Amino acid sequence: MATSPGYRRSSRFRDPRFRRSFARLVTHYWSHAASLADGRIYRQMHRLDRIAGMLIHGRLDLISPAHLAESIHDSSPASDLTILHDSGQGPHSPPAKPRT
């Protein structure tokens, strides 16, 4: 498996109980669409119209593609979006320089 320079796997993944619990949680959310009805976030974006927000997205995040962050940003007039082109998801992603 190819990794980015400086990447270190979290030591918690050595624990089989943690790996099992993590896998159960992830598959539960994936199989239930994160427990949200389709389109729910977009239907309620108007509630955030006047609240400033910042979205930060790692382009290498394979679980949540960048177009989803861009779509939420487009639906929220008071938001700023920063795409980290050399980063993914989680604390072990390599450091990146932001480009907006």
Side-chain angles (χ1 to χ4, degrees):
M1 175 169 108
T3 60
S4 300
Y7 171 82
R8 284 184 290 167
R9 181 182 294 181
S10 173
S11 61
R12 64 186 176 174
F13 284 98
R14 290 187 198 127
D15 179 357
R17 291 174 301 168
F18 173 81
R19 289 194 313 265
R20 185 174 43 253
S21 298
F22 183 79
R24 275 187 165 169
L25 180 67
V26 169
T27 55
H28 170 80
Y29 277 100
W30 283 357
S31 65
H32 291 89
S35 301
L36 296 174
D38 284 347
R40 180 176 178 189
I41 292 174
Y42 294 105
R43 285 194 304 275
Q44 295 184 5
M45 285 301 295
H46 68 279
R47 298 173 69 184
L48 302 175
D49 283 351
R50 295 185 185 158
I51 299 173
M54 176 176 278
L55 301 163
I56 301 172
H57 185 82
R59 175 77 61 192
L60 302 178
D61 180 351
L62 302 178
I63 296 170
S64 179
H67 73 86
L68 297 175
E70 291 165 349
S71 180
I72 291 172
H73 170 63
D74 291 343
S75 300
S76 180
S79 70
D80 290 319
L81 173 62
T82 299
I83 302 288
L84 303 176
H85 290 272
D86 298 327
S87 189
Q89 183 185 91
H92 301 291
S93 294
K97 295 179 182 177
R99 294 182 229 167
T100 55

